Amino acid sequence: QEGTHMYCVRPVIVTVPPSEWLCSKCSSPRKAKPNFKEAVHKMERRHWEITKFLALPFKNPEEFTTRFRYALDLFSPTTHASTRRAKLGEKSKKGTVQCQSLFFTLTMHKQEWQLPRPLADSSVYLRSVASMAAAMKACGMHTYSEELVYGGSSKPEMNDATREHVDPLSKRNEEIFLQFKENLKQGAFPPIQIVHDNEMGFAVEALCAMSRHTLICEYVGEVITEEESVSGSDSLMWLLSTGDPNTSLIIDPTRYGNIARFLSGINNQSLFSRRQVNIRTRRFTINGKCRVALFTSKKIERGERLVYDYNAGIKGKSAEEWATNGFYDTSNFF
């Protein structure tokens, strides 16, 4: 029943808990969290719970690979490009194509985002979506969402990109981003799984290789004002910065959100840690509204964890400035 440094415990606690908190030594064994691997295995057997929580358009998660088998095989890494071109015909001249209502990247261009290739193995897909649902439930999230949810005093009209200079996407990347969002509605998620360990907490791990500039997710959650962002959440993202706490907007995925909250952060003060970054964030506008996307900044190998800089763009600040302008002191991260 003694005090504990927030950065001495594992996983690190980045914000002061808003309610009672006990370290592992003082907490009752009856209150200990269940093993996450066991939670995922249990979730894998509860198909209805996965489909309901993730709002999948089928009753059994394993139906995804059956429903889209033709498209998944056609865009498999083992299928020769000439075979795809022969079957797609005129469509093969485009950078992305639609096949069985899913969009796929056909030709990679240097400045364009890439669509993630969905998992084609039914058992691996089941493990992926089960880990997503189990992680969100373990964190107490109320609802899975791939869209911004406006709460508190924030309103959609407050997300006005003209109040801050935020660049729009190129027309081509905007088109690819919207195709990515359509794929998600069909259950075509990036090839990832959520994992957990006692040292790092939750993390996102690649289940297969992904090329550079592959879209991973949009950072979504409950949109609140900076003035309201005192919930103790350990996962916050700037959406719009107006210079006024009453109108600046922050994304808080505590209650609503997707996999974005589980991506790991780095130690900003460690060169070694900074070199581990393989994910970038991009704030942009669509129809005058600010959005945030996360995408790969380099090629990702199977088994690699996805990592980005929580405080990107806020460098060289004093401790006082970090407290005001940066969300987290990451100096004690690995």
Side-chain angles (χ1 to χ4, degrees), residues 173-207:
N173 272 341
E174 180 176 332
E175 180 182 4
I176 294 170
F177 177 76
L178 295 176
Q179 291 172 347
F180 171 70
K181 299 289 282 187
E182 286 299 314
N183 278 359
L184 293 173
K185 295 176 183 177
Q186 301 293 323
F189 299 107
I192 60 89
Q193 67 176 341
I194 312 299
V195 296
H196 183 277
D197 64 54
N198 294 331
E199 292 292 311
M200 299 289 292
F202 285 104
V204 179
E205 187 176 279
L207 286 170

Side-chain angles (χ1 to χ4, degrees), residues 164-177:
E164 182 188 3
H165 179 70
V166 180
D167 293 329
L169 292 173
S170 66
K171 289 184 178 181
R172 183 65 188 128
N173 272 341
E174 180 176 332
E175 180 182 4
I176 294 170
F177 177 76

Side-chain angles (χ1 to χ4, degrees), residues 16 54 197 273 303:
V16 177
L54 298 180
D197 64 54
S273 186

Side-chain angles (χ1 to χ4, degrees), residues 7 20 36 38 61 74 77 131-133 140 144 156 169 173 175 184 246 250 257 284 303 313:
Y7 293 104
E20 182 184 39
F36 183 66
E38 293 178 2
L74 185 60
S131 72
M132 292 164 55
Y144 161 77
L169 292 173
N173 272 341
E175 180 182 4
L184 293 173
N246 293 303
I250 287 172
F284 57 93

Side-chain angles (χ1 to χ4, degrees), residues 10-208:
R10 292 291 181 268
V12 165
I13 300 175
V14 296
T15 56
V16 177
S19 56
E20 182 184 39
W21 179 88
L22 295 174
C23 71
S24 57
K25 293 182 178 180
C26 296
S27 60
S28 167
R30 291 175 297 177
K31 295 182 179 180
K33 291 185 178 180
N35 181 282
F36 183 66
K37 286 185 178 180
E38 293 178 2
V40 173
H41 290 324
K42 182 178 179 180
M43 186 65 72
E44 287 180 10
R45 298 190 292 271
R46 307 180 70 172
H47 295 173
W48 63 271
E49 190 170 347
I50 297 173
T51 56
K52 181 179 180 180
F53 190 81
L54 298 180
L56 299 177
F58 28 77
K59 294 181 179 180
N60 186 331
E62 294 175 316
E63 289 180 28
F64 172 80
T65 54
T66 303
R67 179 178 298 187
F68 299 110
R69 176 49 56 195
Y70 174 79
L72 295 173
D73 287 346
L74 185 60
F75 285 88
S76 168
T78 60
T79 301
H80 197 275
S82 61
T83 302
R84 281 194 286 270
R85 286 195 295 268
K87 292 187 176 183
L88 293 170
E90 288 298 316
K91 292 182 180 179
S92 64
K93 297 180 180 179
K94 300 180 180 179
T96 57
V97 293
Q98 188 173 22
C99 183
Q100 284 193 302
S101 78
L102 293 182
F103 292 95
F104 294 85
T105 293
L106 186 63
T107 305
M108 295 185 181
H109 297 284
K110 187 176 181 180
Q111 301 302 323
E112 292 182 2
W113 277 337
Q114 311 298 318
L115 294 169
R117 184 185 294 113
L119 292 164
D121 184 290
S122 60
S123 61
V124 180
Y125 179 85
L126 176 59
R127 189 202 322 160
S128 172
V129 293
S131 72
M132 292 164 55
M136 293 177 198
K137 283 179 171 290
C139 289
M141 293 175 66
H142 295 184
T143 306
Y144 161 77
S145 176
E146 288 292 345
E147 302 297 332
L148 295 171
V149 178
Y150 291 85
S153 62
S154 69
K155 307 296 180 186
E157 54 268 24
M158 294 175 66
N159 185 2
D160 181 356
T162 62
R163 306 190 70 174
E164 182 188 3
H165 179 70
V166 180
D167 293 329
L169 292 173
S170 66
K171 289 184 178 181
R172 183 65 188 128
N173 272 341
E174 180 176 332
E175 180 182 4
I176 294 170
F177 177 76
L178 295 176
Q179 291 172 347
F180 171 70
K181 299 289 282 187
E182 286 299 314
N183 278 359
L184 293 173
K185 295 176 183 177
Q186 301 293 323
F189 299 107
I192 60 89
Q193 67 176 341
I194 312 299
V195 296
H196 183 277
D197 64 54
N198 294 331
E199 292 292 311
M200 299 289 292
F202 285 104
V204 179
E205 187 176 279
L207 286 170
C208 65

Side-chain angles (χ1 to χ4, degrees), residues 237-248:
M237 175 68 72
W238 277 112
L239 181 64
L240 179 70
S241 180
T242 66
D244 181 353
N246 293 303
T247 56
S248 292

